Amino acid sequence: MNQLRTIFITACMLSIAIGICNMLRPARRFERQVRFLVSLLFAIGLGAPLLRMDLRIPPTALASAQVNAQTDRLAQDAQEILLDETKRCTQAAIEKLLAENGISCTQLTVQIHIDDEQCISISEVSAVCSDVQRARTILQTHCGKEVLLNVSQHPAEDTAD
């Protein structure tokens, strides 16, 4: 509001100055030069308060930090989605592999992790199966010997033996 008042006062003062300059104008042959100078003074007078305005623009470092935080969050979310989908697909593949070999499983869980080099590895497979020995052999062959296997017998079949 204060700047608007300054602009209004400046315009009034310039109008008075233009009036005085018109009265002091020498001859018609200098009319263009005087008009140019008066227009220049008028433009400078109106532009000065606008140039002093304080326009606050957020620093780009703040915007950059926000973008980096969002990028990190998106990367973390993508990694979690990748782990969940990989775990689901791996469990389905192991269930299918065991079923193709005539082994039924009631519970099957797979633990997966991503290491520092962004490699996805199976760390543990837990299963409750009808044939423990065959299931353990098939899982070790297909998952590797470094994978921790927790294979147990169906409870109903335990009591039958």
Side-chain angles (χ1 to χ4, degrees):
M1 188 67 158
N2 196 20
Q3 290 174 343
L4 187 60
R5 192 174 128 227
T6 305
I7 290 172
F8 182 72
I9 291 171
T10 304
C12 290
M13 296 304 269
L14 284 174
S15 296
I16 293 170
I18 289 171
I20 292 172
C21 285
N22 280 335
M23 289 176 18
L24 296 175
R25 181 175 49 189
R28 265 191 116 33
R29 63 183 188 156
F30 295 114
E31 185 175 338
R32 275 198 295 168
Q33 288 85 357
V34 171
R35 193 174 291 193
F36 172 74
L37 286 174
V38 169
S39 298
L40 185 62
L41 284 174
F42 191 75
I44 290 172
L46 287 179
L50 294 175
L51 292 175
R52 286 186 292 226
M53 288 178 67
D54 188 22
L55 300 175
R56 303 243 182 227
I57 299 173
T60 56
L62 177 62
S64 176
Q66 290 173 345
V67 168
N68 288 340
Q70 289 176 349
T71 303
D72 292 343
R73 187 172 37 91
L74 285 174
Q76 188 177 19
D77 290 347
Q79 190 172 24
E80 288 176 15
I81 291 169
L82 176 67
L83 273 176
D84 290 343
E85 187 63 21
T86 303
K87 181 178 176 181
R88 188 186 63 75
C89 290
T90 303
Q91 282 178 301
I94 290 174
E95 284 176 356
K96 181 180 177 186
L97 176 69
L98 292 173
E100 288 173 351
N101 286 292
I103 301 169
S104 65
C105 288
T106 56
Q107 295 176 353
L108 179 67
T109 57
V110 177
Q111 298 298 321
I112 295 177
H113 69 278
I114 298 178
D115 62 13
D116 294 336
E117 296 173 355
Q118 300 302 314
C119 294
I120 299 174
S121 303
I122 300 172
S123 56
E124 182 180 351
V125 176
S126 299
V128 177
C129 300
S130 58
D131 188 349
V132 175
Q133 285 303 91
R134 281 185 54 217
R136 188 179 297 275
T137 304
I138 291 170
L139 290 173
Q140 259 186 347
T141 303
H142 287 83
C143 296
K145 296 186 186 222
E146 66 279 353
V147 176
L148 178 63
L149 298 175
N150 293 321
V151 183
S152 58
Q153 189 82 22
H154 282 299
E157 295 176 19
D158 257 348
T159 57
D161 287 340

